[in-house]
Amino acid sequence: MDFVSGQVLLVDKPLHWTSFDVVKRIRGVLTRRHGCKRFKVGHAGTLDPLATGVMLICTGRATKQIDSLQAGEKEYVATVQLGATTPSFDLETEIDQTFPTDGLTAEAIESALEQFRGPIMQVPPVFSAVKVDGKRAYKMARRGEAPELAAKPIVISELELLDFDPATCRARLRVACSKGTYIRSLARDLGEALGCGGHLTALRRTRVGNASIFDCADVVSLIESLKTVEIEIPNDNQPSHNKAN
């Protein structure tokens, strides 16, 4: 395989790994295999540590495709806990408020979802990498500050209630959406629309553009295969990859 000219590797990011963890591990193997100081590797679309699923890893010249790849529509399966909120809108922080959920039904959820389909304005979570006055919002939030984030235009092309358990008040959703959509914010907004609060408890990205979760390799298995796979090192490209990028 020619990793210098470029490859797009499809991986299934494990729970608790950061997106940088995946890139770092793959870059480390390719750097050693090519005998250089640092090998160019990047990813198209960040996933939070508490999320799993499709990540596109680009190597060499394929890193030039990152912007176009991450602009593709994304699909997720999300689990939303209704009746409780957290400051981060997910499990990164503890529950701060609980609300009654008496009478909550799948029909009520279906009705509430209608307002989130199509082009909408969405306010990102304060625990996000969005910048406010040049500072990352999540850093400000962790210091106890309350940054005000502006709503941004997004598109949710498909939004489906897969199932709802009245006993636990957990709903599973399938979401197909544009770049820049925060599923944590959707969980918050759905809870607000239902009047009972909500937060994200699980998230799996199942598609990025045409790349499906069924096409993805296990990260650990992929890394092991990269240690032995036959690689091509074009002579005219060796000098540029012997320098740190």
Side-chain angles (χ1 to χ4, degrees):
M1 298 181 74
D2 185 350
F3 294 102
V4 174
S5 294
Q7 297 287 328
V8 178
L9 307 174
L10 310 184
V11 302
D12 184 352
K13 188 191 84 65
L15 188 65
H16 301 309
W17 284 43
T18 67
S19 297
F20 180 71
D21 288 336
V22 177
V23 170
K24 182 180 179 181
R25 293 281 296 273
I26 292 174
R27 179 190 291 138
V29 173
L30 293 179
T31 296
R32 290 190 292 273
R33 290 297 310 277
H34 287 79
C36 56
K37 295 180 180 179
R38 185 180 175 89
F39 197 86
K40 187 177 288 187
V41 179
H43 67 84
T46 301
L47 273 178
D48 291 337
L50 295 178
T52 65
V54 180
M55 276 194 68
L56 308 185
I57 306 298
C58 301
T59 77
R61 296 194 186 112
T63 54
K64 296 178 181 179
Q65 301 177 40
I66 286 177
D67 286 345
S68 60
L69 289 172
Q70 65 186 9
E73 184 178 70
K74 299 172 180 64
E75 184 178 84
Y76 300 88
V77 172
T79 302
V80 180
Q81 177 66 61
L82 297 166
T85 60
T86 71
S88 60
F89 311 155
D90 64 4
L91 296 178
E92 182 183 342
T93 54
E94 298 292 327
I95 290 174
D96 58 358
Q97 284 186 288
T98 58
F99 304 87
T101 55
D102 299 339
L104 186 61
T105 64
E107 290 74 20
I109 297 171
E110 289 275 15
S111 179
L113 289 176
E114 184 58 34
Q115 64 189 281
F116 302 112
R117 295 187 176 102
I120 63 172
M121 298 296 290
Q122 184 187 69
V123 178
V126 291
F127 282 80
S128 68
V130 174
K131 286 188 176 182
V132 179
D133 296 329
K135 301 176 183 177
R136 297 291 184 185
Y138 73 87
K139 293 184 177 180
M140 300 171 69
R142 287 172 181 168
R143 291 197 299 265
E145 301 175 37
E148 291 189 16
L149 277 65
K152 297 183 177 182
I154 62 163
V155 178
I156 297 181
S157 57
E158 297 180 57
L159 182 53
E160 176 186 6
L161 176 63
L162 297 176
D163 55 62
F164 172 62
D165 182 357
T168 61
C169 284
R170 286 190 175 179
R172 277 199 321 131
L173 310 174
R174 183 182 68 84
V175 188
C177 55
S178 64
K179 175 187 175 182
T181 302
Y182 283 91
I183 309 301
R184 286 181 288 148
S185 288
L186 177 61
R188 169 204 60 194
D189 295 342
L190 176 61
E192 288 183 356
L194 291 166
C196 63
H199 63 280
L200 192 68
T201 58
L203 183 65
R204 183 159 179 77
R205 188 157 69 192
T206 54
R207 180 172 60 84
V208 176
N210 295 321
S212 165
I213 189 66
F214 300 108
D215 303 319
C216 292
D218 171 78
V219 172
V220 175
S221 299
L222 174 66
I223 290 170
E224 288 303 310
S225 71
L226 292 178
K227 294 178 181 178
T228 57
V229 69
E230 184 176 345
I231 63 173
E232 299 178 30
I233 307 179
N235 290 331
D236 59 343
N237 286 305
Q238 278 183 302
S240 63
H241 281 267
N242 283 333
K243 298 178 181 179
N245 290 312

